[in-house]
Amino acid sequence: MAEQTASPVIRDDAPAKPDAAVVRDALGVGVAVGLSGFAFGVTSAGSGLGLLQTCVLSLLVFTGASQFALVGALAAGGNPFTAAAGAFFLGTRNAFYGLRLSQLLALPKAVRPLAAHWVIDETTAVALAQPSRRAARVGFTVTGLTLYVLWNVTTLLGALGAEAIGDTAAWGLDAAGPAVFLALLAPMLTSATERATAGLAVLLGLGLLPVLPAGVPVLAAALAAPAVLWARGRRAASTTGTTATGSTIGTTAAGSTIGTTAAGSETGPTARREKDSR
């Protein structure tokens, strides 16, 4: 039988959630994350990018993790193409978010290109948490709008502030980008597989840092995901094989017991009849 792909659950018949509650939740996420644009502005200016370049990045890229990865690689002296490649691969996750949200939100075709620019971690999380399509649309729109405006405003303020204070390394603000990136990443590591992948990626990145050009260890750290998945598959196959072997041994033992019992049942009466005949 042909394999079927499960379609997203559209819960239009679910109990309605008040729009005010959805807006409140969306604003909370948008404000909390949007303010971290200040750290990006400071980090970008400290890496050598100008004010215009920093603001254009936030306007056109608008995905915090990729932006931090890009300016972080540049600040470490990495090649611009290598830094851009690392940011690109990190941002590909948004394409998978889009596949899920396109069916859930079912937006008109005219607005889909604009909505695609707001497909990020936070808007996806808020939309998927809603009980109905209407609530998902409201949550996605309010989160995206709030985040986009605040992220770009605080990016501008951060870049201006970095230029005003001069050398950001002297103030220790060069650590703001990695700190914010880790703060955004940590809550997403909810399973053992995800934590193992993150840990291995850190080991690869730090271990290869002294021997590879700046920016390349970030790309090499991406090998952590297939490595962990391969190890997980081997462990699952080993567990399945052990279970199957145990079941076979148990079945064989049970069969032997039954056979022995049956043989004993036949031997007992037969022996007694032969004794009586003698």
Side-chain angles (χ1 to χ4, degrees):
M1 185 171 62
E3 182 179 353
Q4 296 180 355
T5 302
S7 59
V9 179
I10 308 299
R11 296 157 294 178
D12 282 331
D13 57 343
K17 184 176 182 179
D19 289 349
V22 180
V23 171
R24 183 190 63 239
D25 296 342
L27 285 174
V29 173
V31 171
V33 180
L35 293 177
S36 61
F38 183 84
F40 170 72
V42 171
T43 305
S44 181
S47 69
L49 295 182
L51 177 63
L52 180 61
Q53 292 172 316
T54 298
C55 292
V56 168
L57 264 179
S58 282
L59 286 168
L60 300 183
V61 178
F62 186 54
T63 172
S66 296
Q67 292 178 234
F68 277 115
L70 175 63
V71 299
L74 293 176
N79 183 286
F81 294 102
T82 304
F88 172 79
F89 284 116
L90 191 58
T92 54
R93 70 191 188 284
N94 294 335
F96 296 98
Y97 294 161
L99 293 175
R100 177 66 175 86
L101 290 179
S102 64
Q103 300 179 58
L104 175 63
L105 301 177
L107 297 173
K109 292 183 179 180
V111 301
R112 287 183 184 179
L114 298 176
H117 193 50
W118 288 356
V119 176
I120 54 176
D121 298 328
E122 292 76 18
T123 55
T124 301
V126 173
L128 293 178
Q130 306 309 317
S132 65
R133 175 173 283 144
R134 173 180 172 80
R137 287 178 173 178
V138 173
F140 175 85
T141 303
V142 174
T143 305
L145 179 61
T146 307
L147 252 176
Y148 190 73
V149 172
L150 276 180
W151 180 265
N152 283 281
V153 170
T154 54
T155 294
L156 173 62
L157 295 176
L160 290 173
E163 290 186 351
I165 64 177
D167 185 13
T168 57
W171 294 77
L173 296 178
D174 53 332
V180 172
F181 181 77
L182 291 176
L184 293 174
L185 177 64
M188 302 177 188
L189 306 178
T190 57
S191 68
T193 300
E194 292 170 349
R195 290 190 288 270
T197 302
L200 181 58
V202 170
L203 292 177
L204 286 174
L206 294 179
L208 297 174
L209 192 60
V211 297
L212 294 178
V216 177
V218 176
L219 298 178
L223 298 175
V228 170
L229 292 176
W230 176 81
R232 181 183 177 186
R234 288 292 300 271
R235 185 168 62 252
S238 176
T239 303
T240 303
T242 303
T243 303
T245 303
S247 300
T248 303
I249 294 174
T251 303
T252 304
S256 300
T257 303
I258 293 172
T260 303
T261 303
S265 300
E266 292 180 1
T267 303
T270 303
R272 284 195 297 271
R273 285 197 301 269
E274 290 179 355
K275 184 178 180 179
D276 294 340
S277 63
R278 288 197 299 269

